Amino acid sequence: MAKQIYDRYNAMGSAELTKKQRGVGAKLHSHFQQVRGLVPYVVGRYVIMDARELSSSDVFTSGMVALTDSIEDRSC
């Protein structure tokens, strides 16, 4: 699933990425204001191995990213 998500966003041009990023940000913002509990986008159990701030060399250039390892599905 992670490769499919990466491939989808990595194939987008700069303008399309910016538009998508704004849309995702707006959805997250509204969900956190209206929904109690978790807001699942990628569902599962993971061990967080590392985390860092995104930079201009990343597909999405602002925010945070976590490197995780799935606890549930070791076939990926």
Side-chain angles (χ1 to χ4, degrees), residues 3 5 12 16-18 21-22 29 31 33 42 44 47 49-50 53 59 67-68 73:
K3 181 170 178 4
I5 293 169
M12 292 181 183
E16 190 177 5
L17 268 175
T18 299
Q21 197 171 10
R22 286 186 182 135
H29 181 71
H31 281 196
Q33 288 182 336
V42 178
V47 173
M49 300 166 61
D50 195 12
E53 188 172 355
V59 174
L67 175 63
T68 65
D73 184 6

Side-chain angles (χ1 to χ4, degrees), residues 11-42:
M12 292 181 183
S14 178
E16 190 177 5
L17 268 175
T18 299
K19 183 178 177 182
K20 180 64 81 173
Q21 197 171 10
R22 286 186 182 135
V24 169
K27 285 180 185 178
L28 281 170
H29 181 71
S30 67
H31 281 196
F32 283 119
Q33 288 182 336
Q34 298 171 8
V35 177
R36 296 214 184 272
L38 298 176
V39 180
Y41 283 87
V42 178

Side-chain angles (χ1 to χ4, degrees), residues 2 46-52 64-70:
Y46 301 87
V47 173
I48 297 175
M49 300 166 61
D50 195 12
R52 67 175 177 81
M64 296 290 297
V65 64
L67 175 63
T68 65
D69 188 21
S70 174

